[in-house]
Amino acid sequence: MAFDIDMIRKVYEQLPGRIEAARKAVNKPLTLTEKILYSHLTEGKASKAYERGNSYVEFNPDRVAMQDATAQMALLQFMQAGRDQVAVPSTVHCDHLIQAKTGADSDLATAIDTNKEVYDFLSSVSNKYGIGFWKPGAGIIHQVILEQYAFPGALMIGTDSHTVNAGGLGMVAIGVGGADACDVMAGLPWELKFPKLIGVKLTGELKGWASPKDVILKVAGILTVKGGTGAIVEYFGPGASSLSCTGKGTICNMGAEIGATTSIFGYDTRMSDYLKATDRSDVATLADKVSDHLTGDAEVYADPEKYFDQVIEINLSELEPHINGPFTPDLAWPLSEFAKAVKENGWPEKLDVGLIGSCTNSSYEDITRAASIAKEATEKGLKAKSEFTITPGSEQVRYTVERDGYLSIFEDMGGVVLANACGPCIGQWARHNADKQEKNSIITSFNRNFAKRNDGNPNTHAFVASPEIVTAFAIAGNLSFNPNTDTLKNENGEEVKLSEPNGIELPPKGFDVEDAGFQAPAENGSGVSVVVDPESKRLQLLEPFRAWEGVDLAGLKLLIKAKGKCTTDHISMAGPWLKFRGHLDNISNNMLIGAMNFFNEKTDHVKNQLTGEYDSVPNVQRAYKAAGVGTLVVGDENYGEGSSREHAAMEPRFLGVRAVLVKSFARIHETNLKKQGMLALTFADKSDYDKIKEDDNIDIKGLINFTPGTPLTLVLNHADGTADEIVVNHTYNANQIEWFKAGSALNVIKSGLTQG
């Protein structure tokens, strides 16, 4: 059995008492989010009414999940912590390192051969420390978590920003960096700034081509990529109960694209049905007994404006299908307006590729709805005019939909089934001709569409939609197509129209699988050896970062002043760089190579102040490191949005960057910087961004008296002999200041365990 029913039973036994104590302490009705967070406070203490968005609070998560690309660094850190076993149930999922090229079988075989060293490391370290290991081919972490581990009312952290997918099963599931995971696996509490709450009231019921994906595409258009930062989104209302559990998961999954800490739905019969269908009837029985505690109080939903910081209302009956993009997931277009937008903006109308699946949309319901379109198209003499790929979310889903005949439907229309892995969604796609950087359009049912994200081509216009809309567009081969109103000419020259999609929520014959791909850890891992070859190009044991010198920082050079959007993809690209996720020195050669330099509007081209010459960002930073010179990185708004990858924080730290100063941070990246002993600072006056000059030497004052809530001062010493003094803010609490002083949070952990 993959899940621990005794642990779940214990959570549910404690839940009512903890929630009631919290309700009395705050003396008001509680949202679902508050119920779960309050019930997971350290030592189970009832909470005072925390000031949302300002108070740091410690929690005890129920489990940890890690994907293979981030697990490498997380486990390399955990190996330094000095524990014999993980303190909470934890799993590793091998889903990121499989490159999509020709098809599922050959791609998986190639990945197993190419990544053998990494898979062996992850398998052995999991075996040693009591961690469940999901082999390559088992599926994408978030789909496997939903199928195997998620349960209503729980708190989970995961080393991937789309951990939030599990909110579809009533779980507060939050994406974190590997250092956070390391803390929790080492038995320490996990810290989070108490989030603000956004309520989304859903009424009505989806019709026609509209799907759960369109709910979050609509919400992304409303809130933008940073509108959910520092907040948890809670969905409620009669429309919420009309959505399938996996549909809820899709909505929560893409909550990462609005910067939300997580998203969640309350427990209902659709969740109960899904638990039973995935062989967890005993969990459903336990949840049914405490169901009143697994949703917000009735008073909250009756008067939501009183209890949420922001309320959005969406009538599902009126919701149109949406297509979001290009280059950002919050540029939302209703289907009826999309063709016009394509023409007016000069986006390539011809559609090169349609891609469905991924962790966001690969449920049984998703596949059957898309297959209904593909089947009808084939019957009416239509073939896909665009390339078409299908990425199943897990081996269980893949096996079941193949058994039920749906994969063959896609193949009949010219589709190619890829491995059960992230693939093109994260840039693991050997797309032919992408290196030519030709202007083109693709459409996916994935979650992100930043420039270069899918195929490395900055001119690929990537759009995001539901699987059924992607399928229809792939058949049409044109972005101007509207399946609601337009016809297509078949091979006989006849004009035919596609019917509305129809799908099946759960497999009538149940889910099935021959080998789900799970490896249980050894009961006693003391005899298991974890070996890392010192000559390896892919794995490297970590050395502790040096502690703060105890003085203010002086003479820092400006490494780069990044202009505009700077996501974790810009800071530490995925794609071919994934092979170095366990080797900090090698992967540091991609540091900030995607960020645009404000001073010349070029990427990977910055000035070395020691020589006056321009070079790549990593080369310049390595030169500064060799000379013993610290540096500063400056960024724009929402710096570090996107993936949870802590490499985007560890690489600058490793190469000698001392501080990152921006207009605003994405939540996970700010925490990752703090964990690695970096200074994460924001402009008190955002217009001071304009005062940063290319040849500046920078001093940071106030560190000797570094205290929570007290700003620091930066002195910008310009090349012409003048200087500007600016105020910069920080959000460090007392514990986080200790991380900075010690050199990293891990150094504090090691010290505490040694002293203990």
Side-chain angles (χ1 to χ4, degrees):
M1 183 177 292
F3 59 92
D4 186 341
I5 192 63
D6 291 332
M7 180 269 285
I8 297 172
R9 184 177 290 110
K10 182 178 179 181
V11 170
Y12 284 159
E13 286 174 352
Q14 296 174 345
L15 200 65
R18 289 180 173 178
I19 290 174
E20 188 55 37
R23 187 182 287 110
K24 289 180 179 178
V26 301
N27 193 31
K28 71 177 183 67
L30 300 177
T31 65
L32 170 61
T33 302
E34 290 170 320
K35 286 183 178 182
I36 298 176
L37 291 182
Y38 286 149
S39 68
H40 285 82
L41 289 167
T42 51
E43 300 179 23
K45 294 177 181 177
S47 169
K48 64 178 182 178
Y50 288 102
E51 185 181 357
R52 294 175 186 169
N54 289 308
S55 302
Y56 279 94
V57 190
E58 290 184 339
F59 298 98
N60 289 318
D62 297 305
R63 72 175 307 111
V64 173
M66 296 168 282
Q67 42 96 330
D68 52 356
T70 50
Q72 295 171 63
M73 198 59 69
L75 292 174
L76 285 165
Q77 291 177 86
F78 179 76
M79 288 170 65
Q80 297 185 66
R83 286 193 63 101
D84 295 329
Q85 289 263 304
V86 290
V88 299
S90 305
T91 50
V92 169
H93 304 257
C94 296
D95 60 358
H96 273 55
L97 301 179
I98 303 170
Q99 186 181 52
K101 189 171 184 179
T102 58
D105 293 340
S106 61
D107 293 345
L108 179 58
T110 299
I112 290 173
D113 179 58
T114 303
N115 303 311
K116 183 180 187 303
E117 180 184 14
V118 172
Y119 292 148
D120 286 349
F121 167 74
L122 293 174
S123 175
S124 62
V125 76
S126 297
N127 203 23
K128 182 175 182 64
Y129 294 110
I131 299 167
F133 180 70
W134 289 83
K135 303 172 187 176
I140 306 173
I141 176 173
H142 315 301
Q143 181 68 28
V144 174
I145 290 293
L146 199 70
E147 293 173 357
Q148 303 288 339
Y149 298 112
F151 65 97
L155 173 63
M156 177 179 77
I157 62 171
T159 61
D160 189 289
S161 56
H162 294 104
T163 298
V164 296
N165 188 79
L169 201 38
M171 192 180 211
V172 170
I174 300 176
V176 300
D180 275 339
C182 180
D183 285 3
V184 174
M185 290 190 294
L188 300 180
W190 173 65
E191 189 177 66
L192 175 73
K193 186 180 287 188
F194 202 87
K196 295 183 179 181
L197 301 179
I198 298 174
V200 180
K201 182 178 181 180
L202 301 178
T203 60
E205 193 166 344
L206 295 170
K207 297 177 180 178
W209 286 86
S211 73
K213 182 65 163 273
D214 300 305
V215 176
I216 185 57
L217 294 178
K218 171 79 171 178
V219 170
I222 295 170
L223 289 176
T224 77
V225 291
K226 63 178 182 177
T229 301
I232 290 180
V233 181
E234 184 172 324
Y235 292 85
F236 63 94
S241 59
S242 72
L243 302 172
S244 67
C245 177
T246 51
K248 293 177 172 75
T250 292
I251 293 169
C252 293
N253 181 292
M254 268 197 72
E257 271 48 73
I258 58 173
T261 302
T262 193
S263 302
I264 193 169
F265 283 81
Y267 182 65
D268 60 16
T269 58
R270 309 299 274 272
M271 293 187 190
S272 178
D273 291 343
Y274 184 74
L275 286 168
K276 294 169 184 173
T278 50
D279 199 27
R280 290 176 286 175
S281 294
D282 40 3
V283 179
T285 298
L286 291 172
D288 289 341
K289 292 178 181 178
V290 292
S291 58
D292 287 349
H293 301 287
L294 300 177
T295 187
D297 289 336
E299 300 95 323
V300 170
Y301 296 151
D303 190 10
E305 285 80 5
K306 186 176 178 181
Y307 299 99
F308 291 98
D309 297 287
Q310 180 180 355
V311 177
I312 296 168
E313 185 167 343
I314 297 174
N315 185 341
L316 301 182
S317 300
E318 299 174 355
L319 183 64
E320 265 194 82
H322 277 61
I323 298 96
N324 286 25
F327 306 128
T328 183
D330 60 351
L331 188 59
W333 303 98
L335 177 60
S336 61
E337 300 175 15
F338 185 60
K340 180 182 178 183
V342 170
K343 289 181 171 59
E344 289 182 347
N345 288 283
W347 300 327
E349 282 192 56
K350 177 180 175 291
L351 180 65
D352 280 18
V353 194
L355 307 96
I356 68 168
S358 83
C359 67
T360 320
N361 279 108
S362 59
S363 67
Y364 191 87
E365 182 180 36
D366 289 328
I367 296 298
T368 56
R369 277 176 66 87
S372 74
I373 303 301
K375 184 173 186 293
E376 183 189 30
T378 301
E379 291 171 347
K380 290 184 175 181
L382 296 168
K383 287 279 190 181
K385 292 184 179 178
S386 306
E387 290 183 39
F388 186 64
T389 70
I390 306 94
T391 304
S394 71
E395 176 58 14
Q396 179 167 282
V397 165
R398 189 212 63 79
Y399 186 93
T400 303
V401 296
E402 182 180 49
R403 178 202 67 189
D404 294 348
Y406 293 108
L407 291 187
S408 62
I409 292 174
F410 293 126
E411 291 168 343
D412 288 343
M413 68 168 273
V416 175
V417 180
L418 302 175
N420 312 322
C422 300
C425 183
I426 60 164
Q428 281 285 53
W429 184 19
R431 186 184 179 192
H432 58 272
N433 293 330
D435 58 334
K436 294 181 180 179
Q437 301 198 350
E438 294 176 346
K439 189 175 180 181
N440 73 101
S441 289
I442 66 173
I443 188 167
T444 81
S445 70
F446 307 159
N447 40 49
R448 291 199 174 127
N449 59 345
F450 303 136
K452 301 184 182 181
R453 165 102 177 161
N454 301 117
D455 61 5
N457 179 0
N459 298 312
T460 292
H461 293 58
F463 299 89
V464 179
S466 68
E468 46 268 55
I469 289 292
V470 172
T471 304
F473 274 40
I475 293 166
N478 193 294
L479 290 179
S480 296
F481 177 64
N482 183 341
N484 266 325
T485 58
D486 299 344
T487 60
L488 296 170
K489 187 173 290 187
N490 68 9
E491 56 193 17
N492 297 321
E494 302 164 331
E495 294 290 336
V496 296
K497 191 172 186 296
L498 297 174
S499 302
E500 294 175 349
N502 59 78
I504 303 170
E505 183 173 342
L506 297 166
K509 293 188 288 185
F511 287 103
D512 199 4
V513 66
E514 287 184 347
D515 179 7
F518 177 69
Q519 172 187 293
E523 290 188 14
N524 182 353
S526 60
V528 178
S529 296
V530 180
V531 179
V532 174
D533 183 350
E535 300 300 317
S536 173
K537 302 298 183 184
R538 300 196 60 178
L539 294 168
Q540 181 187 49
L541 294 176
L542 297 174
E543 294 291 335
F545 290 133
R546 289 190 301 174
W548 172 55
E549 305 90 330
V551 298
D552 287 343
L553 303 181
L556 303 182
K557 303 292 187 182
L558 175 69
L559 174 62
I560 186 172
K561 178 177 176 180
K563 179 179 180 180
K565 186 183 286 289
C566 192
T567 72
T568 48
D569 281 282
H570 295 87
I571 304 168
S572 176
M573 289 184 178
W577 291 95
L578 285 172
K579 62 179 174 287
F580 297 128
R581 283 288 180 87
H583 198 294
L584 185 54
D585 192 15
N586 284 343
I587 199 169
S588 293
N589 288 321
N590 78 359
M591 186 191 72
L592 284 159
I593 63 176
M596 180 182 290
N597 183 357
F598 176 90
F599 298 105
N600 56 24
E601 298 197 347
K602 294 180 179 180
T603 58
D604 203 23
H605 195 68
V606 297
K607 187 174 184 179
N608 181 338
Q609 290 191 48
L610 302 178
T611 65
E613 298 177 350
Y614 286 82
D615 202 344
S616 71
V617 181
N619 284 350
V620 171
Q621 182 57 41
R622 286 184 185 276
Y624 287 140
K625 182 179 182 180
V629 176
T631 58
L632 175 79
V633 169
V634 174
D636 213 318
E637 295 281 8
N638 207 29
Y639 182 88
E641 70 174 276
S643 167
S644 69
R645 68 192 67 153
E646 66 184 330
H647 299 75
M650 294 186 77
E651 292 172 31
R653 179 71 169 101
F654 175 73
L655 291 182
V657 177
R658 302 302 301 268
V660 179
L661 171 63
V662 300
K663 293 181 181 178
S664 65
F665 281 108
R667 174 189 63 85
I668 299 176
H669 187 64
E670 181 181 19
T671 299
N672 286 346
L673 289 168
K674 292 177 179 180
K675 287 278 183 177
Q676 302 306 332
M678 294 275 282
L679 285 172
L681 309 172
T682 56
F683 292 99
D685 181 349
K686 292 182 180 181
S687 66
D688 286 342
Y689 172 89
D690 299 324
K691 295 179 180 178
I692 307 288
K693 307 301 181 184
E694 189 172 31
D695 293 307
D696 280 352
N697 285 316
I698 301 153
D699 304 328
I700 301 178
K701 296 183 176 181
L703 291 175
I704 294 174
N705 299 310
F706 197 10
T707 53
T710 302
L712 300 174
T713 300
L714 254 69
V715 179
L716 308 174
N717 299 294
H718 305 308
D720 63 2
T722 63
D724 280 305
E725 191 169 288
I726 65 173
V727 177
V728 295
N729 294 329
H730 67 85
T731 60
Y732 287 75
N733 60 26
N735 287 339
Q736 294 167 347
I737 289 173
E738 292 306 310
W739 300 345
F740 168 75
K741 290 180 177 179
S744 71
L746 183 58
N747 288 351
V748 174
I749 293 174
K750 290 169 65 178
S751 174
L753 290 174
T754 301
Q755 293 172 7

